[in-house]
Amino acid sequence: MLVLALDTSTAACTVALVELGAPASVAVGSGPERVLAQRCVWDARRHGELLAPMMSAVLTEARVRPPDVAAVVVGVGPGPFTSLRVGMVTGSAFAAALGIPAHGVCSLDGIGLGTAGPVGVVTDARRREVFWARYQDGARQGEPAVGAPAAVAADLLAAGVRRVVGPGVALYPEAFASFEPVTRLVGESGQPDAGPAGPAGPAGASICPAPPLLVRVAAAAILDGRAPGPLVPLYLRRPDAAEPRPPKTVTAATEAGAGDPAAAGATAG
């Protein structure tokens, strides 16, 4: 079964075509998937420009036609509003055009699933904050959250976590200085061990959500033929853009003065 997976929740735009149900790798922590082709480009400002051509390139490299794809997996964040919507709208439209299911998966799981022991996954939330979640042997502990880097570091330390990974780590080196960086993901066959090179930082700090791991999260639902729920973005806070406020209510006195020159003069006097 062929699954197209994508994620735009970080500065990296990632796409992979995965064969689900293939014999599992012998690597520890591996799952029942095989990566046929994938792309990863670090550019926070060009997700909308890059994603569709990357999807086409992945399918072409694997010599697969769009109708051969059985399901789509999309990282639903947490992530910045604009980039996250690019991935979700594109993935949803691709699935709708083919009449196939689109499964939404927490993007942080695309990193945390490939870790061992207690680990914190940290990505950039902008506004001098980070998105984060705590993992134990690849399983997320609780819901994703957003917070100031120093506060997140304190929460992780209080929970006994001493290792961190993700693009948010290199952005706030002072906050995470006492942590050991994770430099590779366990059993992730599609992404280089050191993570893709990019502006987010050195190896380990620049590891991004891996589409094959996102597929692994949704594998049971896909193989069982379960219908996914609607794709709901994990923003965790209000978006930067806001609707304009309604005009202020004009008071009765002002209305009376505006419509009656005599009343206005009396008021002035």
Side-chain angles (χ1 to χ4, degrees):
M1 179 180 292
L2 299 179
V3 180
L4 185 69
L6 55 98
D7 186 89
T8 57
S9 66
T10 68
C13 186
T14 61
V15 182
L17 183 67
V18 175
E19 182 184 6
L20 188 58
S25 166
V26 296
V28 176
S30 62
E33 76 278 337
R34 181 167 67 97
V35 179
L36 302 182
Q38 73 171 347
R39 294 287 188 280
C40 177
V41 177
W42 286 85
D43 194 329
R45 298 179 181 276
R46 298 176 62 216
H47 288 86
E49 177 184 345
L50 293 169
L51 184 56
M54 289 171 63
M55 293 167 63
S56 178
V58 162
L59 293 173
T60 299
E61 180 182 333
R63 299 182 180 180
V64 168
R65 299 169 56 251
D68 296 330
V69 178
V72 175
V73 173
V74 182
V76 297
F81 180 86
T82 302
S83 62
L84 194 58
R85 297 297 290 188
V86 169
M88 295 184 64
V89 170
T90 303
S92 179
F94 182 88
L98 296 174
I100 58 179
H103 295 260
V105 175
C106 172
S107 298
L108 297 180
D109 292 350
I111 300 176
L113 186 62
T115 62
V119 175
V121 174
V122 183
T123 63
D124 182 23
R126 302 179 183 174
R127 301 189 196 174
R128 297 184 178 180
E129 291 182 324
V130 293
F131 296 119
W132 68 285
R134 182 169 60 89
Y135 290 79
Q136 178 65 46
D137 294 324
R140 177 157 40 86
Q141 309 297 298
E143 296 299 317
V146 60
V152 171
D155 287 344
L156 290 173
L157 290 172
V161 177
R162 298 294 184 273
R163 301 165 65 228
V164 291
V165 63
V169 175
L171 295 175
Y172 303 98
E174 294 183 1
F176 298 102
S178 59
F179 291 83
E180 174 190 351
V182 174
T183 58
R184 64 181 300 271
L185 299 182
V186 178
E188 206 292 277
S189 59
Q191 187 179 41
D193 287 346
S206 62
I207 290 177
C208 64
L213 293 182
L214 297 177
V215 171
R216 194 179 302 174
V217 175
I222 295 173
L223 292 173
D224 291 345
R226 283 180 255 160
L231 294 180
V232 179
L234 293 174
Y235 291 135
L236 303 187
R237 67 183 182 202
R238 295 180 62 84
D240 294 327
E243 294 183 4
R245 295 182 179 180
K248 293 183 179 180
T249 303
V250 180
T251 63
T254 303
E255 290 177 344
D260 185 352
T267 302

